[in-house]
Amino acid sequence: METIDYGTGDLGRVRFVLSPLGHLIHGVHDGPCSRQSPWRQRWWPRARRQVSLGNGRLVPLINRAHPDAPAFLPLAIAGDAAAPTFEQELDQLRATPPHLLGYRLAAGSGPGPGRTDEADRLIRGLRNQEDASLRAVVDGLLALYRATLMADWPTVAERLQRDISMRQRQIQRHGALAMMTNLHSDITWRPRTDAEGPGPGLILAPCLFGQQRTHGGPGADGTQVVIYPTAELDESYTAPDDHLAALLGAGRAAVLRTLRVPASTSGLARRLGISAPMASTHATLLRNAGLVSTTRDGKSVRHDLTAVGRQLVELNPEGIEL
């Protein structure tokens, strides 16, 4: 049971965040909370096949035996953007003092499979304010995201947005406090009588990959973060083997599928939640393979599927279906 304090000024500053980094961490974490999620039950066995020695170095660190969720999860979610890209969240993590990340990791650890020598060295380095250890964590998260979640994030984000839209309608009809009270039975809301002024607000982050309970804690800027299970998860869900991702890689498969509707490089990046340089690299490789055509439109370029690329997408539907 989570007890979360709030001030009256916080009620006017409730905002929702879609977090790809938070979902990566929660999805990789093999605890009881994640194992309760039907989405995670189907996503992780397939995603795990993409994990290798090169991109999976942080899996033991994420799984450092906290029973429900990694203790540093709120650090990955706090931020100003309502739908940050993975790169934006990594930038925020880079700006986090290393010792704060190390402290959160150490506080949530215990005996178990996450206790590896490399994980211990990373935590010691973070607590000693070593920038190299922070870079290793950031680079490891990026490699893991590209291998596992990047192709599926647009579908996950669409489902999260439906939950947020429902909560926002509740706020409009009944107010923020009524919505918060009905957010989850695991939360007890406790008003702070001494709180004055506008307050720092509350960040609410819906989660598909954790369904046992909510998780709370301060983000990097001190704002209270509440990670809660999404509602109404009884929809049909299938996650067949993704042959297109196996052929091209998860990132390029996601780009190819996204280009069923033509897009500029920046538009492609926004749709997939990746950086523009990464989107450009994927598009170039697919163009060299004869699957994508690129035409210049003023100062920008327009990417579209070739006949071969479109046929390949049609023969290999999405890896996650709603």
Side-chain angles (χ1 to χ4, degrees), residues 261-284:
V261 177
S264 64
T265 300
S266 59
L268 183 60
R270 284 194 299 272
R271 290 182 195 175
L272 291 174
I274 60 178
S275 67
M278 186 185 299
S280 178
T281 298
H282 285 321
T284 299

Side-chain angles (χ1 to χ4, degrees), residues 9-28:
D10 294 324
L11 298 179
R13 303 186 66 184
V14 174
R15 58 192 182 86
F16 295 88
V17 172
L18 304 181
S19 174
L21 179 52
H23 271 78
L24 175 69
I25 294 170
H26 218 145
V28 171

Side-chain angles (χ1 to χ4, degrees), residues 53 56-65 105-106 109-125:
L53 290 176
R57 296 177 61 190
L58 286 194
V59 172
L61 187 68
I62 292 172
N63 280 289
R64 280 184 70 90
L105 285 166
S109 66
R115 295 305 301 267
T116 65
D117 290 342
E118 183 174 10
D120 286 339
R121 283 195 298 271
L122 278 174
I123 289 180
R124 284 197 302 270

Side-chain angles (χ1 to χ4, degrees), residues 2 6 31 38 61 136 143 170 174 185 195 231 237 242 258 272 299 307 313 315:
E2 291 278 348
Y6 70 94
L61 187 68
Q170 291 177 353
H174 308 293
S185 61
Y237 172 91
D242 192 342
T258 298
L272 291 174
K299 294 183 178 180
V313 169
L315 292 172

Side-chain angles (χ1 to χ4, degrees), residues 23 116 175 183 292 306:
H23 271 78
T116 65
L183 194 65
V292 166
T306 64

